[in-house]
Amino acid sequence: MKPFNVFPYDSKINFMRVRMISLAIAALLMFAAIGAMAVNGFNFALDFTGGVGVELRFAKPVEVEAVRSKLAAAGFDNAQVQSFGTGTDLLVRLQKEEGRRNEGTGSIAQDVQAAASSADNPAEVRSSAEISAQVGKELRDKGILALVFVIVGFMIYISFRFEWKFAVAAIITTLHDVVIVVGWFALSGHEFDLTVLAGALSVMGFSVNDTIVVFDRVRENFRSMRASPEEVLNASVNQTLSRTVITSFVALLTVLALYFYGGASLRGMAESQIIGIVIGTLSSIFVACPLLMWLGVSKQDLMPKARDEAALARRP
């Protein structure tokens, strides 16, 4: 009994026929994302900018989402609310508004207390403190370092695993996916916080994994098929198509659940992963192999090099 497939086992969709169109669309999206980052910049969240932290204690256990909604209705749109200790203790973190930069934390804490309290469940301020922008700057610097570290690590791994044409195609495809995800947050103005950064890093892992699966099949087919590179690449994408779509669909269901039910604190990460999974799936089908075709991959690229054969011949 054959395993379940979304597409027929003998599907022969000619993806390489539209390779120039798909590469042009991918390039346009990537440059648009870079342009959005250069022109708009990012709406950095409290994690990176600093602000005010207020600890509240309620008379009775309180729902985090309910408090978050009350604060948003009072004008604290970007307040981050999380529980700690018992169900009656909440930590509220928020950026200072433009007109209140010079105010002390006390008056802001009182406003937060008034907005979060209700007649049957009043809150009291346990403490309030300034969250230094320097801390945010350190987090931002470390986040950028983490991103660079992961990119370099993936590049080294891919370079060792594949021949150079495969490595170049995999690296460009992965960077294409991550740039579009990050560019979306610059274009939309949605908050960019540490969870979004974590989501972008996970997108990189997902994208590399998807591309490697397709490229492994390409290498196998080059060694076993007597066909042109275009036919080999088409066959490889068709053979892995169902696996790619099913895996992505299951992963998408997970992050959709996180987006709708994970609360506001995880929404940014889920949003970045949703975009990353969709873009990563499409790029493994419409970008990775067309890039290989554009780089002129052939069966000869997988054959032992002449110098290697000479070195083997010299061995005792």
Side-chain angles (χ1 to χ4, degrees):
M1 180 179 174
K2 291 183 177 179
F4 172 73
N5 256 17
V6 176
F7 298 93
Y9 279 92
D10 57 349
S11 63
K12 294 179 180 175
I13 304 171
N14 192 349
F15 292 102
M16 294 305 111
R17 189 178 62 179
V18 295
R19 63 183 182 277
M20 297 311 295
I21 298 174
S22 59
L23 286 178
I25 293 173
L28 281 175
L29 288 174
M30 192 169 174
F31 288 126
I34 293 172
M37 286 187 273
V39 174
N40 296 348
F42 293 103
N43 177 20
F44 286 115
L46 180 67
D47 295 335
F48 300 112
T49 61
V52 177
V54 182
E55 289 183 21
L56 297 176
R57 172 162 291 175
F58 289 81
K60 296 184 290 188
V62 63
E63 292 288 334
V64 171
E65 283 300 325
V67 173
R68 189 177 288 123
S69 299
K70 287 181 182 178
L71 292 174
F76 300 110
D77 295 322
N78 300 319
Q80 297 178 6
V81 185
Q82 62 187 98
S83 61
F84 70 100
T86 66
T88 58
D89 294 328
L90 293 183
L91 172 63
V92 179
R93 299 188 302 158
L94 65 164
Q95 291 176 325
K96 282 187 175 181
E97 297 170 355
E98 196 61 39
R100 310 183 69 175
R101 297 284 183 196
N102 298 322
E103 283 189 32
T105 59
S107 61
I108 296 175
Q110 293 302 318
D111 291 345
V112 169
Q113 177 201 19
S117 297
S118 59
D120 61 334
N121 194 9
E124 62 172 306
V125 178
R126 301 286 292 171
S127 66
S128 62
E130 188 97 17
I131 300 173
S132 169
Q134 181 61 31
V135 175
K137 183 177 181 302
E138 288 180 12
L139 285 173
R140 184 173 57 195
D141 293 344
K142 289 179 180 176
I144 293 171
L145 278 178
L147 186 62
V148 171
F149 177 78
V150 172
I151 290 173
V152 172
F154 272 130
M155 286 181 175
I156 293 172
Y157 167 71
I158 292 169
S159 301
F160 276 110
R161 183 175 171 85
F162 291 106
E163 295 72 20
W164 75 267
K165 289 178 183 176
F166 288 80
V168 169
I171 289 168
I172 293 175
T173 304
T174 303
L175 290 179
H176 158 272
D177 299 345
V178 175
V179 166
I180 290 178
V181 170
V182 176
W184 163 253
F185 284 87
L187 183 67
S188 64
H190 292 177
E191 276 198 341
F192 193 99
D193 57 18
L194 286 175
T195 65
V196 174
L197 181 63
L201 294 178
S202 66
V203 165
M204 187 174 288
F206 180 86
S207 176
V208 166
N209 181 60
D210 240 13
T211 304
I212 283 175
V213 168
V214 178
F215 281 4
D216 276 341
R217 185 58 59 93
V218 171
R219 291 199 303 189
E220 290 171 13
N221 285 338
F222 261 124
R223 287 164 179 154
S224 62
M225 290 176 65
R226 291 178 179 272
S228 66
E230 183 173 345
E231 290 172 315
V232 169
L233 293 172
N234 263 327
S236 304
V237 176
N238 277 286
Q239 289 166 6
T240 55
L241 192 57
S242 286
R243 178 264 172 207
T244 300
V245 172
I246 291 172
T247 305
S248 300
F249 179 70
V250 173
L252 187 63
L253 288 180
T254 306
V255 292
L256 280 174
L258 198 64
Y259 181 82
F260 289 112
Y261 303 110
S265 58
L266 295 177
R267 190 156 293 157
M269 182 175 73
E271 183 179 343
S272 63
Q273 290 177 330
I274 289 170
I275 299 168
I277 288 171
V278 172
I279 296 296
T281 303
L282 292 174
S283 70
S284 68
I285 298 170
F286 291 102
V287 178
C289 282
L291 272 175
L292 275 182
M293 190 83 189
W294 183 65
L295 290 169
V297 70
S298 68
K299 193 169 188 172
Q300 299 303 315
D301 294 313
L302 302 173
M303 301 294 286
K305 302 291 186 296
R307 63 174 182 277
D308 296 336
E309 291 178 338
L312 287 172
R314 286 196 298 273
R315 290 183 183 176

